[in-house]
Amino acid sequence: MESLRVREENVHIISHPYAQELLTIIRDKSTEYYMFRSILEELGYIIGLEIAKNMDTKEVYAETPLGVKAKGIKIIDKDNVIIINVLRASIPLVNGLLKIFKKARLGFVAAQRLEDKIMFNNEGMKFEIKISYMNIPEIRREDTVIIPDPMIATASTILNTIPLIIKKGEPKRLIVASVIITPEAIRKIKKHYNNVELYTIAVDPELNSKGYIVPGLGDAGDRYTGT
Ligand code: URA
């Protein structure tokens, strides 16, 4: 299986059994939309924890009610985060990430893949993407920008979104967070933006002829909205 061969630098696959169990539940076609949405939100929280684990920390002290100073830490960049809402599929992941990055500033990109505009080139399958709205805050050099997208199949949406984001400034870290990504999408993102860090719960091996991830979980947007 191609997913087993993913050993790229900066690709973080979250193998924690709890995350894997949640993924198994949302893969199941009988899982209802409200459970699907709630689990996506929880996975956003778990991805947020994993991202925070790789942020720099500094030593701080807290004075406890006992009048004693206890040594602790502060995560330096936790408050310098921008999360991009890629409408509509990323909303539950964003809600989960916001539980960790409470002070995150938010950007919005409404991106729709035109299902009847499938193309193929030497990198694989590609969709034309229609961007109908965007509002992205100015990016400072100390910022970590997170782009959540639950299902990264061909990477067409991400590759159309990143240039819009970096026009607003060059962040310290640019992170793409997914629930499922394909090896093809990892290769494309790494080829065009080598410094992008990827966080995902799983890497699924292939796409079907309509650009859906297999085995996947279907259309994440439809499944969490109950459409
Ligand atoms: N988007 C989805 O929601 N599911 C897929 O399988 C591919 C793209």
Side-chain angles (χ1 to χ4, degrees):
M1 211 163 72
E2 196 171 6
S3 59
L4 298 177
R5 295 207 301 271
V6 174
R7 299 244 189 284
E8 296 253 16
E9 213 183 310
N10 277 338
V11 180
H12 304 267
I13 301 170
I14 303 170
S15 58
H16 194 291
Y18 185 65
Q20 294 299 321
E21 182 181 70
L22 291 179
L23 173 61
T24 308
I25 296 169
I26 57 172
R27 280 190 193 275
D28 191 321
K29 66 180 182 189
S30 68
T31 298
E32 289 202 67
Y33 73 93
Y34 62 93
M35 276 306 293
F36 190 95
R37 182 163 64 216
S38 152
I39 288 175
L40 270 190
E41 213 171 297
E42 216 176 333
L43 288 172
Y45 176 80
I46 291 169
I47 294 169
L49 279 178
E50 202 66 18
I51 293 171
K53 196 167 101 182
N54 293 325
M55 285 180 155
D56 292 336
T57 58
K58 67 177 180 189
E59 199 175 287
V60 292
Y61 287 83
E63 189 170 337
T64 75
L66 300 164
V68 180
K69 285 207 162 112
K71 194 161 93 175
I73 63 159
K74 176 165 175 50
I75 302 172
I76 297 166
D77 284 329
K78 195 161 71 64
D79 297 339
N80 298 323
V81 169
I82 295 174
I83 303 175
I84 309 294
N85 252 291
V86 185
L87 301 174
R88 70 188 160 150
S90 73
I91 291 173
L93 282 185
V94 173
N95 289 342
L97 284 161
L98 280 172
K99 294 197 170 107
I100 304 288
F101 305 110
K102 295 189 176 65
K103 289 192 181 172
R105 285 168 290 143
L106 294 175
F108 293 86
V109 176
Q112 186 190 355
R113 76 179 195 180
L114 304 177
E115 309 260 325
D116 53 342
K117 299 257 169 80
I118 301 185
M119 295 165 273
F120 289 88
N121 63 14
N122 57 354
E123 294 180 345
M125 190 186 283
K126 186 176 161 182
F127 281 93
E128 193 174 315
I129 303 295
K130 182 176 159 205
I131 308 275
S132 51
Y133 176 78
M134 71 170 208
N135 190 328
I136 298 165
E138 288 304 316
I139 295 171
R140 307 171 304 206
R141 286 165 64 124
E142 64 270 32
D143 286 334
T144 293
V145 174
I146 306 173
I147 313 171
D149 183 351
M151 303 295 283
I152 307 184
T154 64
S156 303
T157 302
I158 293 296
L159 292 177
N160 275 269
T161 305
I162 291 176
L164 305 175
I165 292 169
I166 56 185
K167 259 194 204 149
K168 293 287 185 170
E170 200 179 316
K172 180 172 171 184
R173 295 172 68 192
L174 184 55
I175 295 174
V176 171
S178 58
V179 173
I180 304 178
I181 192 168
T182 60
E184 177 176 323
I186 294 175
R187 264 197 305 277
K188 285 188 212 168
I189 296 169
K190 286 289 172 188
K191 179 174 164 198
H192 293 275
Y193 301 99
N194 187 37
N195 291 334
V196 167
E197 300 166 48
L198 299 170
Y199 284 75
T200 193
I201 309 296
V203 180
D204 272 11
E206 57 196 5
L207 295 172
N208 71 10
S209 61
K210 292 187 171 159
Y212 279 84
I213 299 176
V214 181
L217 47 72
D219 187 309
D222 283 354
R223 289 200 64 196
Y224 94 73
T225 53
T227 306

